[in-house]
């Protein structure tokens, strides 16, 4: 009888140990849970991604995971302010965002004594769209500045201008202000709920004009949910300059006047965050070439001669 009780006890102890190991493994793989062993090629990393960059990030991350299957990159999509606050609170270990941090953001990072790094990984742009029936051949940055500060309210043919923008994308507005109207702090325009609505409104009104991120333009058109009755307008930096379309090549060469750099920011003490950043800056550049963005630098391709 004693031997039987001892056997039951041993079996129960073994079951408890197996269950404990299973629970630990599940908890370790949950987003936000601590990972015991993190390296540059393994572990769990939560990356905040601006909504305008989400499609590109969703295409590139699986490539990294293919090469490094022990690394799990979880994308957290949102607007810049929310993501930046989560980075400060160490809720996410890295961010992919448009442009450098301003003085206010830098002061918050310094106040929190964040040990971070900014890695330039891609190039994007603010694009201008008009209704396909609008005959305007091109615009200069000065024209756009006047339109979005209500100093120009009619087209040259006399038609009324109705300017639209995504009122929730404050980061895009900041980027546009810095490049086109640095003396102003706010823009004047009709508000849309998202970039898709900007495209839809411009497509439906002859005198409408809109600005949006280059990466969202491709996504809106390919979704099939947005009318294509609009066109992208070439821009020139100033009167007399040749107008330029926001092609990948023109953005990469810096010839498109409203282009900017996309940065990956991460906490240096996170090994996987640093490893993912190093990959984005080198091998990951090939992914940006095939995306709606432009790479930050030309990726190197290895050609084997036989």
């Amino acid at each position: 009888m004693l031997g039987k009780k001892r056997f039951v006890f041993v079996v129960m102890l073994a079951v408890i140990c197996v269950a404990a190991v299973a629970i630990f493994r599940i908890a370790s793989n949950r987003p936000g849970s601590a990972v015991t062993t993190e390296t540059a090629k393994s572990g769990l990393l939560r990356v905040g991604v601006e909504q305008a960059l989400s499609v590109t990030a969703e295409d590139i991350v699986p490539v990294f995971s293919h090469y490094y299957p022990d690394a799990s990159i979880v994308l957290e999509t949102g607007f810049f302010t929310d993501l930046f606050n989560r980075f400060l609170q160490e809720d996410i270990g890295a961010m992919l965002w448009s442009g450098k941090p301003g003085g206010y953001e830098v002061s918050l990072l310094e106040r929190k004594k964040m040990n971070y790094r900014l890695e330039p990984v891609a190039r994007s742009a603010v694009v201008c769209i008009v209704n396909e029936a609008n005959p305007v051949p091109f615009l200069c940055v000065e024209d756009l500045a006047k339109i979005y500060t209500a100093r120009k309210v009619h087209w040259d043919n006399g038609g009324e201008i109705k300017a639209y923008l995504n009122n929730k994308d404050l980061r895009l507005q900041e980027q546009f202000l810095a490049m086109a109207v640095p003396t102003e702090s706010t823009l004047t325009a009709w508000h849309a709920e998202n970039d898709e609505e900007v495209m839809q409104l411009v497509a439906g009104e002859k005198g409408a004009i809109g600005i949006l991120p280059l990466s969202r333009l491709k996504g809106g058109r390919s979704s099939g949910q947005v009318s294509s009755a609009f066109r992208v307008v070439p821009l020139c930096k100033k009167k007399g300059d040749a107008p330029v379309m926001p092609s990948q090549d023109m953005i990469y060469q810096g010839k498109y006047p409203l282009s900017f750099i996309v940065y990956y920011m991460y906490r240096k003490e996170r090994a996987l965050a640093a490893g993912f950043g190093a990959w984005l800056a080198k091998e990951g550049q090939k992914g940006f070439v095939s995306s709606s963005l432009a790479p930050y630098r030309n990726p190197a391709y290895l050609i084997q001669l036989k």
Side-chain angles (χ1 to χ4, degrees), residues 4-34:
K4 186 176 181 180
K5 288 183 178 180
R6 184 175 300 172
F7 174 77
V8 172
F9 174 79
V10 170
V11 170
M12 290 180 64
L13 183 62
V15 170
I16 292 172
C17 290
V18 170
V21 170
I23 293 171
F24 174 79
R25 287 180 176 175
I26 293 172
S28 297
N29 287 308
R30 286 173 50 197
S33 300

Side-chain angles (χ1 to χ4, degrees), residues 3 12 33 36 46 48-49 74 90-91 104 164 184 191 202 208 210 213 215-217 226 234 249 251 300 302:
M12 290 180 64
S33 300
T36 54
R46 299 173 71 174
V49 182
V74 178
E90 301 186 17
D91 183 43
Y104 176 69
Y164 289 101
E184 300 289 335
H191 289 178
V202 172
S215 54
R216 299 297 285 180
L217 176 68
V226 176
D249 187 50
I251 292 172
L302 178 63

